[in-house]
Amino acid sequence: MDNAIWEVLGIVGTIAFALSGAAVAIEEDFDLLGIFTLGFLTAFGGGAIRNVMIDLPASTLWSQGLEFNCALVAILLMFFLPSLVNRHWRRVGVFTDAVGLAAFSIQGALHAQNLGQPLSAVIVAAVLTGAGGGIVRDVLAGRKPGVLRSEIYAGWSILAAVLIYFQVVNSNIDYLILVVLISALRIIGYRKNWQLPKVKWKVEETKND
Protein backbone atom coordinates (compact mmCIF):
# COMPACT_ATOMS: atom_id res chain seq x y z
CA MET A 1 0.00 0.00 0.00
CA ASP A 2 1.16 3.55 -0.72
CA ASN A 3 3.06 4.81 2.33
CA ALA A 4 1.25 8.18 2.39
CA ILE A 5 -2.20 6.58 2.42
CA TRP A 6 -1.11 4.01 4.98
CA GLU A 7 0.28 6.75 7.24
CA VAL A 8 -2.93 8.76 7.08
CA LEU A 9 -5.02 5.71 7.98
CA GLY A 10 -2.67 4.89 10.82
CA ILE A 11 -2.89 8.42 12.19
CA VAL A 12 -6.70 8.38 12.02
CA GLY A 13 -6.79 5.10 13.93
CA THR A 14 -4.23 6.29 16.48
CA ILE A 15 -6.20 9.45 17.21
CA ALA A 16 -9.45 7.49 17.45
CA PHE A 17 -8.05 4.95 19.92
CA ALA A 18 -6.20 7.60 21.96
CA LEU A 19 -9.43 9.57 22.36
CA SER A 20 -11.27 6.38 23.22
CA GLY A 21 -8.81 5.53 25.98
CA ALA A 22 -8.83 9.05 27.38
CA ALA A 23 -12.64 9.13 27.32
CA VAL A 24 -12.89 5.88 29.30
CA ALA A 25 -10.32 7.20 31.79
CA ILE A 26 -12.40 10.34 32.33
CA GLU A 27 -15.56 8.28 32.76
CA GLU A 28 -13.77 6.18 35.39
CA ASP A 29 -12.57 9.34 37.20
CA PHE A 30 -8.84 8.78 36.51
CA ASP A 31 -6.38 11.59 37.21
CA LEU A 32 -4.15 13.27 34.61
CA LEU A 33 -1.56 10.47 34.68
CA GLY A 34 -4.26 7.85 34.35
CA ILE A 35 -5.82 9.64 31.37
CA PHE A 36 -2.49 9.81 29.54
CA THR A 37 -1.61 6.22 30.42
CA LEU A 38 -4.92 4.80 29.24
CA GLY A 39 -4.94 6.97 26.13
CA PHE A 40 -1.47 5.89 25.00
CA LEU A 41 -1.98 2.24 25.90
CA THR A 42 -5.22 2.13 23.93
CA ALA A 43 -3.55 3.68 20.89
CA PHE A 44 -0.35 1.61 20.97
CA GLY A 45 -1.00 -1.36 23.26
CA GLY A 46 -2.27 -3.64 20.51
CA GLY A 47 0.74 -2.97 18.30
CA ALA A 48 3.16 -3.51 21.18
CA ILE A 49 1.65 -6.88 22.08
CA ARG A 50 1.64 -7.86 18.41
CA ASN A 51 5.33 -7.04 18.07
CA VAL A 52 6.17 -9.31 20.99
CA MET A 53 4.00 -12.12 19.65
CA ILE A 54 5.49 -12.16 16.14
CA ASP A 55 9.03 -11.23 17.20
CA LEU A 56 9.25 -7.71 15.75
CA PRO A 57 11.88 -5.41 17.32
CA ALA A 58 10.75 -2.91 19.94
CA SER A 59 12.20 -0.10 17.85
CA THR A 60 9.31 -0.63 15.42
CA LEU A 61 6.99 0.89 18.02
CA TRP A 62 9.29 3.68 19.20
CA SER A 63 9.88 4.86 15.64
CA GLN A 64 6.26 6.03 15.38
CA GLY A 65 7.08 9.61 16.32
CA LEU A 66 4.30 11.24 14.32
CA GLU A 67 1.67 8.87 15.71
CA PHE A 68 2.86 9.53 19.28
CA ASN A 69 2.56 13.29 18.74
CA CYS A 70 -0.93 12.92 17.30
CA ALA A 71 -2.00 10.78 20.25
CA LEU A 72 -0.53 13.34 22.65
CA VAL A 73 -2.49 16.20 21.06
CA ALA A 74 -5.70 14.13 21.04
CA ILE A 75 -5.37 13.29 24.74
CA LEU A 76 -4.59 16.92 25.64
CA LEU A 77 -7.71 18.04 23.79
CA MET A 78 -9.76 15.46 25.65
CA PHE A 79 -8.33 16.65 28.99
CA PHE A 80 -8.65 20.42 28.48
CA LEU A 81 -11.77 20.48 26.29
CA PRO A 82 -13.72 17.37 27.33
CA SER A 83 -17.16 18.77 26.49
CA LEU A 84 -16.15 20.01 23.03
CA VAL A 85 -14.31 16.84 22.10
CA ASN A 86 -16.98 14.58 23.53
CA ARG A 87 -19.75 16.28 21.55
CA HIS A 88 -17.98 15.86 18.22
CA TRP A 89 -16.45 12.49 19.18
CA ARG A 90 -19.87 10.91 19.53
CA ARG A 91 -20.64 11.92 15.94
CA VAL A 92 -17.48 10.66 14.27
CA GLY A 93 -16.14 8.20 16.84
CA VAL A 94 -17.62 5.09 15.26
CA PHE A 95 -16.32 6.09 11.82
CA THR A 96 -12.76 6.80 12.93
CA ASP A 97 -12.76 3.68 15.11
CA ALA A 98 -13.89 1.64 12.12
CA VAL A 99 -11.14 3.02 9.91
CA GLY A 100 -8.59 2.48 12.68
CA LEU A 101 -9.75 -1.10 13.20
CA ALA A 102 -9.51 -1.81 9.47
CA ALA A 103 -6.13 -0.15 8.96
CA PHE A 104 -4.51 -1.65 12.06
CA SER A 105 -5.93 -5.13 11.40
CA ILE A 106 -4.57 -5.15 7.86
CA GLN A 107 -1.25 -3.75 9.07
CA GLY A 108 -0.91 -6.46 11.70
CA ALA A 109 -1.81 -9.22 9.25
CA LEU A 110 0.72 -7.95 6.72
CA HIS A 111 3.46 -7.79 9.35
CA ALA A 112 2.90 -11.44 10.26
CA GLN A 113 2.54 -12.58 6.66
CA ASN A 114 5.78 -10.84 5.62
CA LEU A 115 7.56 -12.80 8.35
CA GLY A 116 6.25 -16.06 6.90
CA GLN A 117 4.00 -16.81 9.87
CA PRO A 118 1.18 -19.42 9.69
CA LEU A 119 -2.49 -18.50 9.45
CA SER A 120 -2.97 -18.67 13.23
CA ALA A 121 -0.23 -16.08 13.79
CA VAL A 122 -1.58 -13.83 11.04
CA ILE A 123 -5.00 -13.88 12.69
CA VAL A 124 -3.56 -13.19 16.14
CA ALA A 125 -1.48 -10.31 14.78
CA ALA A 126 -4.51 -8.79 13.04
CA VAL A 127 -6.76 -9.10 16.10
CA LEU A 128 -4.17 -7.80 18.54
CA THR A 129 -3.27 -4.83 16.37
CA GLY A 130 -6.86 -3.94 15.55
CA ALA A 131 -8.58 -4.71 18.83
CA GLY A 132 -5.79 -5.26 21.37
CA GLY A 133 -5.67 -1.64 22.47
CA GLY A 134 -9.36 -1.69 23.34
CA ILE A 135 -8.90 -4.88 25.34
CA VAL A 136 -6.01 -3.35 27.31
CA ARG A 137 -8.10 -0.22 27.90
CA ASP A 138 -11.09 -2.11 29.26
CA VAL A 139 -9.02 -4.40 31.48
CA LEU A 140 -7.12 -1.49 33.05
CA ALA A 141 -10.39 0.38 33.54
CA GLY A 142 -11.90 -2.62 35.33
CA ARG A 143 -14.38 -3.37 32.57
CA LYS A 144 -15.22 -6.52 30.66
CA PRO A 145 -13.58 -6.16 27.22
CA GLY A 146 -16.34 -4.97 24.92
CA VAL A 147 -14.65 -6.36 21.81
CA LEU A 148 -15.04 -9.88 23.21
CA ARG A 149 -18.64 -9.69 24.32
CA SER A 150 -20.54 -7.27 22.10
CA GLU A 151 -20.85 -6.72 18.36
CA ILE A 152 -18.77 -8.41 15.69
CA TYR A 153 -15.59 -6.43 16.33
CA ALA A 154 -12.59 -8.72 16.42
CA GLY A 155 -14.41 -10.81 13.81
CA TRP A 156 -13.66 -8.16 11.18
CA SER A 157 -9.96 -8.40 12.06
CA ILE A 158 -10.12 -12.16 11.51
CA LEU A 159 -11.79 -11.63 8.13
CA ALA A 160 -9.01 -9.27 7.06
CA ALA A 161 -6.35 -11.74 8.21
CA VAL A 162 -7.88 -14.66 6.28
CA LEU A 163 -8.23 -12.65 3.07
CA ILE A 164 -4.62 -11.47 3.30
CA TYR A 165 -3.17 -14.86 4.23
CA PHE A 166 -4.81 -16.59 1.26
CA GLN A 167 -3.83 -13.64 -0.96
CA VAL A 168 -7.39 -12.84 -1.93
CA VAL A 169 -6.13 -9.28 -1.54
CA ASN A 170 -2.49 -8.69 -2.44
CA SER A 171 -2.11 -5.25 -4.04
CA ASN A 172 -2.38 -1.59 -2.99
CA ILE A 173 -5.83 -1.16 -4.52
CA ASP A 174 -6.97 -4.42 -2.90
CA TYR A 175 -5.86 -3.20 0.52
CA LEU A 176 -7.71 0.09 0.05
CA ILE A 177 -10.87 -1.79 -0.93
CA LEU A 178 -10.45 -4.01 2.12
CA VAL A 179 -10.12 -0.96 4.38
CA VAL A 180 -13.38 0.40 2.99
CA LEU A 181 -15.07 -3.00 3.30
CA ILE A 182 -14.00 -3.63 6.91
CA SER A 183 -14.87 -0.06 7.89
CA ALA A 184 -18.31 -0.33 6.33
CA LEU A 185 -19.02 -3.69 7.97
CA ARG A 186 -17.94 -2.33 11.35
CA ILE A 187 -20.24 0.71 11.02
CA ILE A 188 -23.19 -1.32 9.76
CA GLY A 189 -22.65 -3.92 12.48
CA TYR A 190 -22.64 -1.20 15.13
CA ARG A 191 -25.85 0.38 13.85
CA LYS A 192 -27.64 -2.95 13.33
CA ASN A 193 -26.27 -4.37 16.59
CA TRP A 194 -24.87 -7.50 14.92
CA GLN A 195 -23.54 -9.99 17.45
CA LEU A 196 -21.99 -13.42 17.38
CA PRO A 197 -23.94 -16.30 18.96
CA LYS A 198 -23.74 -16.60 22.73
CA VAL A 199 -24.27 -19.46 25.14
CA LYS A 200 -25.62 -19.02 28.63
CA TRP A 201 -25.50 -21.54 31.46
CA LYS A 202 -28.77 -22.41 33.11
CA VAL A 203 -28.25 -22.15 36.82
CA GLU A 204 -30.55 -24.43 38.74
CA GLU A 205 -31.51 -23.27 42.17
CA THR A 206 -31.10 -25.80 44.94
CA LYS A 207 -33.82 -26.04 47.51
CA ASN A 208 -32.84 -26.32 51.13
CA ASP A 209 -34.96 -28.73 53.09
Side-chain angles (χ1 to χ4, degrees):
M1 177 177 287
D2 184 81
N3 288 336
I5 297 175
W6 190 253
E7 188 169 318
V8 169
L9 290 174
I11 290 173
V12 170
T14 298
I15 292 173
F17 292 147
L19 286 173
S20 174
V24 169
I26 292 173
E27 289 177 359
E28 296 295 332
D29 199 28
F30 284 20
D31 61 14
L32 177 61
L33 178 60
I35 293 172
F36 272 97
T37 299
L38 208 58
F40 277 113
L41 285 177
T42 304
F44 300 102
I49 298 172
R50 175 206 66 208
N51 290 355
V52 173
M53 293 290 291
I54 63 176
D55 199 27
L56 279 174
S59 59
T60 302
L61 178 64
W62 299 120
S63 63
Q64 296 177 293
L66 180 58
E67 286 81 357
F68 269 93
N69 291 333
C70 289
L72 175 62
V73 172
I75 296 170
L76 285 173
L77 284 174
M78 180 63 82
F79 181 77
F80 288 108
L81 300 170
S83 299
L84 177 64
V85 175
N86 187 49
R87 183 167 65 251
H88 293 287
W89 171 248
R90 291 185 183 279
R91 295 178 181 177
V92 301
V94 175
F95 172 76
T96 53
D97 178 80
V99 175
L101 172 69
F104 285 174
S105 298
I106 295 170
Q107 185 185 58
L110 287 173
H111 274 309
Q113 186 189 53
N114 290 338
L115 291 174
Q117 299 291 337
L119 176 60
S120 58
V122 175
I123 290 176
V124 169
V127 172
L128 288 178
T129 310
I135 296 175
V136 172
R137 175 201 64 207
D138 290 343
V139 170
L140 291 180
R143 300 180 174 186
K144 294 180 179 179
V147 300
L148 300 179
R149 62 191 300 267
S150 62
E151 306 173 42
I152 306 175
Y153 194 94
W156 305 131
S157 297
I158 296 173
L159 174 62
V162 171
L163 292 177
I164 289 172
Y165 179 81
F166 289 107
Q167 297 186 355
V168 177
V169 293
N170 56 10
S171 66
N172 288 343
I173 188 64
D174 289 343
Y175 297 139
L176 283 175
I177 293 173
L178 185 57
V179 167
V180 174
L181 175 63
I182 297 298
S183 300
L185 288 172
R186 158 64 177 144
I187 294 171
I188 294 172
Y190 174 82
R191 293 180 176 177
K192 299 291 187 179
N193 195 30
W194 289 348
Q195 295 188 7
L196 293 173
K198 297 180 181 180
V199 176
K200 291 185 178 181
W201 292 104
K202 291 184 178 180
V203 180
E204 297 182 359
E205 296 183 358
T206 58
K207 293 183 180 181
N208 296 324
D209 295 332

